[in-house]
Every structure is written in C-alpha cells, then in structure tokens.
Amino acid sequence: MTTNKIKFAPMNKDHIFTDATKPRKAKDFIPTWFRTMPHYLEDDSNPAYAKSRFSTVRRCPSFHEVFNTGFVLVAPCDIFLKIEKDGKFFWETPDAIYKIDTHADYQFKSHYPNKNIKGVFKLVYPYMAITPKGYGCIQLPMLYHNNPDFYVPYGYLETDFYHELNPQIIVTSDDIEKGIIIKQGTPLNYLIPYKKDEWDIEYLDYSETLENKFKNVQFNLLGKFSGGFFKNIKR
C-alpha cells in the first residue's frame, strides 16, 4: 500500500510546532469511554457463551476505523469565548498572535433550525495543510467525544491548492453568556485526506455472482467468535 503524506507547516514565523499544539494522528485521541469499555457483557455462569453472543461496540470494526483514520487539529492555545445576552461576541487568547474571527448570526445561525446553536466563532489556525495534487481533506467533528460546549462542522477542504485551515467553532454551551474556555491541546476536529474522484451511481439487478460475493464475506466472519473482520477479511 502506498503511503501518502499530509504536510503541516506554520502560517508565519510567529508560530512553531510543539507537542501540545501540533496536529496528530487520530489514533492518539480515542475517547476514554471507548478505550475502557468491555468487549463483552459479563456472564460468569457461561463466559464462553457471553463472548459469542453479548459483544459490545468495542468489537465493531467501524468504530475502530473511525478512531484510527486521519488526523486531528487541536486548540493551539487557551481560548476564551463568550456571547453576551445582546448577541455581542467576545473572545480572548493569551497572546495577540492567536486570532479568532466570528460568523454573524445572519450568515448561518438565523437560518439553521437548531436552537441549541448559540453562535459561530472561527479560529484563525496557525498551521496550514498541504496534500498531494488531486487530494483534499474532509473536515469532521470529533465523533463520539461528547463535547457539550462546541463542535467543528463537516466540510471539504481543497488542501492541494488552498492550504489555510480555519475551523468554525459552533457553540452549543448553555454557559456561553458566562463564557467558556477551550484549553490548549483540546481536540477540535478530524482532518481526513481523500482522493478527489468523480462518482456516479449504478443500480444492479440481482445475480448469483453478487449473492456469492456477499456469502463469501459472511463465511469468513462466521468462523470466529471474535476478530473475524480484521483476521479473515481486512488484512
């Protein structure tokens, strides 16, 4: 398998990479609830049966793929955000080299039917992303991280020619009138490189060939109590 590279670089001479601020692989941010949950429900009377029948999503291949795919942008500094009762936006960072912008309500919030959204800030991110020609990046919120204060929305970034990263911070906190703090190093969003191909759709009639294709996959799964997907299918 070919290994491509996504390259990150400071936007200007004021910024450098540190362990606390540099983008990292998604696998470094697997949520604690998932890492610590059991693979199976406990059944002391018949542990072998429990392993074959009472599994949790800890064994689900899709969750493992989600938590191990792509990269994560983190907060480059401590960020204080506040939206006053009259709708006025206020933000503060520890130093002037870190900038925050805003999206006025008329740009998004006033039109989107979700009353949980209190407002939208935009982080002027200190690092750029560069992908090979023909590859962009998908921006995704931190899925299954259960952050009640904010999320960064889904989006597409043309990082093969437009390298700026400005994550939109959609605030959902009930405490925003008092103000919230996003601490340095807090994961903000996933960044997943993808190949920019054109896709169409085709509908196929039933055929024995396709049914057998499905059966072959299922057969490889059914032969093991656990681990069938990663041991027998994805290698």
Side-chain angles (χ1 to χ4, degrees):
M1 180 181 294
T2 302
T3 300
N4 292 309
K5 283 188 178 180
I6 181 172
K7 299 176 181 179
F8 294 99
M11 291 293 290
N12 56 56
K13 60 183 177 60
D14 292 330
H15 297 282
I16 62 173
F17 288 118
T18 70
D19 289 341
T21 64
K22 64 184 180 184
R24 306 205 323 256
K25 290 187 175 181
K27 65 180 182 180
D28 294 336
F29 295 92
I30 298 175
T32 301
W33 71 264
F34 184 78
R35 286 190 289 104
T36 58
M37 75 183 302
H39 288 74
Y40 309 92
L41 293 183
E42 295 295 332
D43 185 353
D44 295 334
S45 63
N46 196 336
Y49 182 78
K51 282 193 173 185
S52 66
R53 290 291 181 268
F54 303 128
S55 62
T56 69
V57 296
R58 186 72 171 80
R59 290 185 56 238
C60 176
S62 178
F63 276 86
H64 287 273
E65 298 285 0
V66 165
F67 292 139
N68 286 278
T69 299
F71 306 87
V72 169
L73 304 186
V74 303
C77 64
D78 290 346
I79 300 169
F80 177 76
L81 304 177
K82 182 179 180 179
I83 303 175
E84 297 179 347
K85 202 165 187 176
D86 61 2
K88 183 180 179 181
F89 286 72
F90 178 83
W91 62 267
E92 187 175 356
T93 59
D95 192 275
I97 65 171
Y98 300 106
K99 305 290 186 184
I100 305 290
D101 202 349
T102 62
H103 281 299
D105 287 353
Y106 72 85
Q107 292 181 281
F108 175 72
K109 176 179 178 290
S110 297
H111 308 280
Y112 187 63
N114 186 336
K115 300 303 181 183
N116 292 325
I117 294 177
K118 308 302 191 296
V120 183
F121 291 85
K122 183 173 73 172
L123 172 60
V124 181
Y125 204 66
Y127 308 121
M128 68 178 75
I130 305 168
T131 47
K133 184 177 180 180
Y135 289 81
C137 281
I138 299 173
Q139 173 182 283
L140 287 173
M142 295 302 297
L143 301 170
Y144 306 111
H145 278 251
N146 193 32
N147 185 337
D149 291 334
F150 73 91
Y151 67 91
V152 173
Y154 175 79
Y156 276 77
L157 307 176
E158 306 283 1
T159 46
D160 53 347
F161 63 85
Y162 187 83
H163 310 300
E164 190 174 350
L165 300 172
N166 293 321
Q168 305 82 17
I169 299 174
I170 296 183
V171 176
T172 53
S173 174
D174 291 332
D175 296 323
I176 193 60
E177 289 185 14
K178 300 176 184 177
I180 62 172
I181 293 178
I182 301 174
K183 294 183 178 180
Q184 183 185 60
T186 299
L188 300 176
N189 63 275
Y190 292 105
L191 209 60
I192 301 177
Y194 74 100
K195 188 175 182 180
K196 297 191 287 186
D197 285 329
E198 291 289 334
W199 288 84
D200 204 345
I201 189 170
E202 179 181 359
Y203 300 98
L204 303 176
D205 292 330
Y206 165 81
S207 73
E208 287 189 11
T209 300
L210 292 177
E211 182 177 354
N212 288 333
K213 186 179 181 71
F214 171 76
K215 286 181 177 178
N216 287 339
V217 173
Q218 294 301 304
F219 183 81
N220 281 300
L221 286 174
L222 295 175
K224 297 189 68 63
F225 283 132
S226 64
F229 180 81
F230 288 107
K231 292 177 181 178
N232 292 344
I233 296 176
K234 182 175 181 179
R235 303 186 180 184

